């Protein structure tokens, strides 16, 4: 299936997520490779939401205990490795709970990969057996860009793509 970038998406955020989710699932139909699935999620979401400045995955490193390593993403250079418990991504990995940070500069231990990032959401990503396989991180240059709608919609989308 070919994917056509478009800018006539619904203005309502939840509706926009629903439309994008359907497109992602259609593109990924029959594709089992996890890297391909992560790359597609990053690409389509970054294209669909202009406020998304950095959009991508930190994956659980099978070679190193309690450490994330950067995976597929869209955006400026991200740091390569994040230990569980460090920064926003590490907090999401350690707790298994979505983190919404309205002002990253006020978050203790925030890892500044790009100083233009002002707010952030990080969603734990579970595999088919419910195990943590990655976290999905979105940064915005505006403060307080993310709310419960983003959390709900991203959790549902990621659950459908990777669960
Ligand atoms: N800000 C993140 C680090 C990853 S980047 O923003 C791409 C954090 O504190 O977890």
């Amino acid at each position: 299936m070919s994917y056509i970038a478009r800018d006539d998406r619904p203005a309502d955020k939840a509706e926009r997520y629903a439309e994008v989710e359907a497109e992602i699932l259609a593109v990924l139909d029959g594709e089992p490779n996890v890297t391909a699935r992560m790359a597609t999620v990053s690409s389509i979401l970054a294209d669909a939401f202009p406020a998304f400045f950095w959009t991508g995955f930190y994956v659980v490193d099978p070679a190193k205990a309690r450490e994330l390593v950067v995976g597929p993403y869209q955006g400026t250079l991200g740091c390569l490795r994040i230990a569980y418990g460090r920064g926003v991504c590490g907090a999401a990995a350690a707790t298994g709970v979505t983190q919404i940070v309205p002002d990253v500069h006020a978050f203790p231990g925030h890892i500044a990969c790009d100083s233009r990032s002002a707010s952030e959401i990080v969603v734990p990503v579970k595999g088919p057996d419910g195990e943590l396989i990655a976290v999905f991180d979105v940064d915005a240059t505006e403060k307080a860009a993310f709310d419960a709608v983003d959390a709900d919609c991203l959790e549902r989308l990621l659950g459908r793509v990777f669960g």
Side-chain angles (χ1 to χ4, degrees):
M1 167 182 176
S2 63
Y3 176 73
I4 299 166
R6 42 190 294 229
D7 57 9
D8 61 343
R9 297 186 180 282
D12 178 78
K13 192 159 64 170
E15 286 176 25
R16 184 173 286 233
Y17 273 112
E19 185 179 277
V20 168
E21 178 183 300
E23 288 179 13
I24 289 171
L25 291 172
V27 170
L28 291 178
D29 188 34
E31 177 50 69
N33 183 274
V34 173
T35 303
R37 296 179 79 81
M38 290 182 174
T40 301
V41 168
S42 302
S43 173
I44 296 182
L45 280 171
D47 179 66
F49 289 88
F52 288 15
F53 172 70
W54 198 96
T55 310
F57 293 85
Y58 280 90
V59 300
V60 173
D61 187 350
K64 216 160 175 195
R66 296 181 67 77
E67 196 164 285
L68 303 166
V69 62
V70 77
Y73 67 93
Q74 299 274 314
T76 56
L77 181 67
C79 55
L80 297 186
R81 290 182 172 274
I82 300 175
Y84 282 31
R86 276 202 65 220
V88 188
C89 292
T95 62
V97 174
T98 296
Q99 309 286 310
I100 297 175
V101 181
D103 179 358
V104 295
H105 301 296
F107 187 91
H110 169 251
I111 305 160
C113 298
D114 188 313
S115 60
R116 286 171 288 181
S117 288
S119 63
E120 174 166 7
I121 184 169
V122 182
V123 182
V125 181
K126 309 262 175 65
D129 300 327
E131 76 289 12
L132 184 76
I133 60 168
V135 300
F136 182 66
D137 177 1
V138 185
D139 292 16
T141 56
E142 301 285 314
K143 279 189 186 171
F146 306 103
D147 59 21
V149 173
D150 298 281
D152 289 350
C153 293
L154 288 171
E155 286 173 3
R156 187 190 59 212
L157 188 159
L158 294 163
R160 292 197 173 146
V161 173
F162 298 102

